[in-house]
């Protein structure tokens, strides 16, 4: 058997294995990137949905001053939580 040895494809078996290994590493990195992006997107969506749901439950009865006070109090609690989720999402978008 000329040129091919035991491999019907021809070529060096070590070169074929090296190519397969590189391909597997590239596929693994692509999957990691897709998972990281999906995590970040889901985390951002969660931050938006939770903030909107919480603000919808705020009782903004009364005059403008009472309404402003109620919204400020709600945001004092909600803002740190939303920032934490957005920070987690940002880390998901960043590559290692």
């Amino acid at each position: 058997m000329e040129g091919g040895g035991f491999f019907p494809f021809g070529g060096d078996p070590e070169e074929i294995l090296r190519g397969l290994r590189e391909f597997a590493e590239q596929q693994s990195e692509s999957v990691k990137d897709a998972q990281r992006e999906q995590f970040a997107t889901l985390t951002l969506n969660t931050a938006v949905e939770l903030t909107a749901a919480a603000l919808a439950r705020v009782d903004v009865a009364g005059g403008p001053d009472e309404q402003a006070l109620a919204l400020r109090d709600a945001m004092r609690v909600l803002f740190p939580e939303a920032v934490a989720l957005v920070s987690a999402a940002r880390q998901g978008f960043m590559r290692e």
Side-chain angles (χ1 to χ4, degrees), residues 7-96:
F7 291 95
F9 319 114
D12 181 20
E14 292 297 322
E15 186 65 32
I16 292 170
L17 287 175
R18 193 173 314 117
L20 288 173
R21 201 172 300 120
E22 288 173 5
F23 176 75
E25 288 172 4
Q26 290 170 353
Q27 291 300 100
S28 175
E29 190 61 35
S30 293
V31 168
K32 286 179 188 177
D33 288 343
Q35 288 174 334
R36 193 177 298 121
E37 184 175 334
Q38 184 179 22
F39 168 78
T41 301
L42 290 173
T43 303
L44 283 173
N45 288 341
T46 301
V48 169
E49 289 174 15
L50 287 175
T51 302
L55 286 176
R57 295 189 53 111
V58 173
D59 181 18
V60 289
D65 289 338
E66 287 98 1
Q67 291 178 12
L69 184 59
L71 289 174
R72 275 196 300 266
D73 286 344
M75 287 310 296
R76 225 176 268 127
V77 173
L78 294 172
F79 187 73
E81 298 300 324
V83 168
L85 286 171
V86 170
S87 177
R90 182 172 175 255
Q91 290 175 1
F93 279 123
M94 293 172 34
R95 293 190 68 153
E96 296 177 9

